[in-house]
């Protein structure tokens, strides 16, 4: 009799535990959805979206014993949500699900795409393409956005025998917003944007990707920036007597960032990024990174709670700036213009005009993920003074 009672008790406990696990695993998404603050109408614009056709022609196709390399030329196109989903809340819910609701991901099998937008930097590409082609198993494809629209792509770049697929996209116009188009050639959730003068260690690239896998709603990057608010309430790009160490950071530059492809869909929807901001970016050739950080932070505030969209990474080796090392050839990057930094202050204040609130939805944070140095802090070498301490 005691044995029967004991078995019955164990059965009840087991059933109770299973029910609890089912609630925590299956119901969390429903609970999150119910708590989403969909009532915030931050943006003023609900423009009707229009699609543009995509044309792709293959110039070169080569095969290796490992993989197939594809080189293609595509007209500029925009991947945007179905225009019938005009309700912003429905779109916000859909975007939320795309980022958070994929439970069948095999993290070790998941891959990312490297996207490099380039303009008159052939010599740098001849260095960077071989480097990134050998990133490793997590790399799915390299996409080169050829913004030098009036110049043909050199044959040696087209014929380079990369270990993964290498795709060239040649837009119709040289626009800064070409960077944040979700091209059909991009097949992964994770997109790693790298400038055509930045060289990162392979291990830092992989570390950034694996960090992003754990926080897929965040934009990860290596180069942090901050904004300041002046006494008159206006915005200032950079520090105004404060530093990253005191206030924290609030922005990441697009020289090396990894984010979810859903943010590129949002970038094309006026309800999430006003059309005027995209036009402003292309007119001034500046601030596309500021715009996407603001947009992502606004989305997270809209669907969950106020938080920064940016997460900095401390690399084992800070990204090499090849242009700064005088390897960029004759053409100087946009950030070398004398008006560049002041222009970014103007961006913050001008972007603010397109929001109903008195502030931009960007937040400071000190949080940062550190790629542990190769040096082992727990060495067997005896201390120079005193007795050797036991490790804890």
């Amino acid at each position: 009799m005691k044995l029967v009672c004991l078995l019955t008790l164990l059965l009840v406990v087991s059933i109770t535990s299973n029910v609890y696990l089912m609630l925590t695993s299956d119901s969390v998404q429903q609970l999150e959805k119910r708590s989403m603050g969909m009532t915030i109408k931050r943006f003023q614009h609900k423009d009707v979206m229009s699609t543009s056709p995509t044309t792709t022609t293959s110039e070169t196709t080569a095969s290796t014993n490992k993989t197939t390399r594809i080189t293609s030329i595509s007209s500029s196109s925009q991947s945007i949500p179905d225009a019938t989903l005009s309700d912003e809340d429905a779109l916000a819910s859909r975007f939320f699900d795309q980022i958070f609701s994929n439970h069948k991901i095999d993290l070790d099998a998941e891959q990312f795409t490297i996207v490099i937008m380039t303009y008159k930097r052939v010599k740098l590409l001849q260095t960077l393409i071989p480097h990134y082609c050998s990133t490793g198993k997590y790399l799915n494809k390299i996409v080169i956005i050829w913004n030098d629209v009036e110049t043909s792509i050199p044959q040696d770049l087209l014929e380079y025998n990369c270990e993964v697929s290498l795709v060239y996209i040649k837009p119709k116009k040289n626009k800064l917003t070409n960077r944040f188009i979700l091209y059909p050639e991009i097949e992964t959730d994770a997109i790693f944007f790298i400038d055509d003068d930045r060289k990162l260690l392979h291990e830092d690239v992989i570390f950034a990707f694996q960090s992003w896998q754990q926080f897929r709603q965040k934009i990860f990057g290596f180069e942090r920036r901050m904004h300041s608010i002046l006494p008159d309430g206006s915005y200032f790009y950079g520090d105004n007597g404060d530093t990253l160490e005191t206030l924290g950071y609030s922005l990441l530059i697009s020289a090396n960032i990894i984010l979810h492809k859903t943010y590129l869909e949002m970038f094309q929807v006026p309800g999430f990024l006003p059309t005027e901001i995209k036009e402003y970016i292309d007119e001034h050739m500046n601030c596309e990174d500021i715009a996407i950080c603001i947009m992502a932070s606004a989305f997270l505030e809209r669907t969950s709670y106020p938080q920064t969209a940016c997460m900095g990474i401390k690399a084992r080796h800070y990204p090499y700036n090849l242009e700064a090392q005088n390897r960029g050839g004759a053409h100087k990057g946009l950030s070398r213009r004398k008006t560049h930094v002041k222009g970014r202050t103007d961006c913050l204040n001008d972007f603010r005009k397109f929001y109903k609130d008195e502030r931009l939805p960007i937040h400071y944070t000190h949080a940062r993920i550190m790629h542990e140095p190769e040096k082992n802090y727990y060495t067997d070498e005896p201390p120079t003074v005193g007795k050797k301490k036991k490790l804890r």
Side-chain angles (χ1 to χ4, degrees), residues 16-33:
T16 304
S17 299
N18 287 335
V19 171
Y20 173 75
L21 290 173
M22 287 166 57
L23 283 173
T24 54
S25 61
D26 297 336
S27 300
V28 65
Q29 292 298 328
Q30 295 299 323
L31 292 173
E32 286 178 338
K33 284 184 182 180

Side-chain angles (χ1 to χ4, degrees), residues 38-39 150 177 182 195 214 259 265 267 327 336:
M38 295 298 189
T39 58
E150 297 180 356
T177 53
L182 184 54
D195 271 2
Q214 304 304 316
L259 49 75
E265 289 189 69
F267 201 80
R327 300 179 189 176
R336 298 287 295 275

Side-chain angles (χ1 to χ4, degrees), residues 72-76 144-153 168-173:
S72 63
I73 306 299
S74 302
S75 297
S76 178
I144 308 293
I145 303 173
W146 189 266
N147 253 18
D148 189 5
V149 295
E150 297 180 356
T151 304
S152 299
I153 303 172
Y168 289 86
I169 294 175
K170 194 170 184 179
K172 294 178 180 178
K173 295 182 180 180

Side-chain angles (χ1 to χ4, degrees), residues 60-64 67-70 161:
T60 305
T61 302
S63 298
T64 66
T67 185
T68 301
R69 172 186 165 273
I70 303 173
N161 190 17

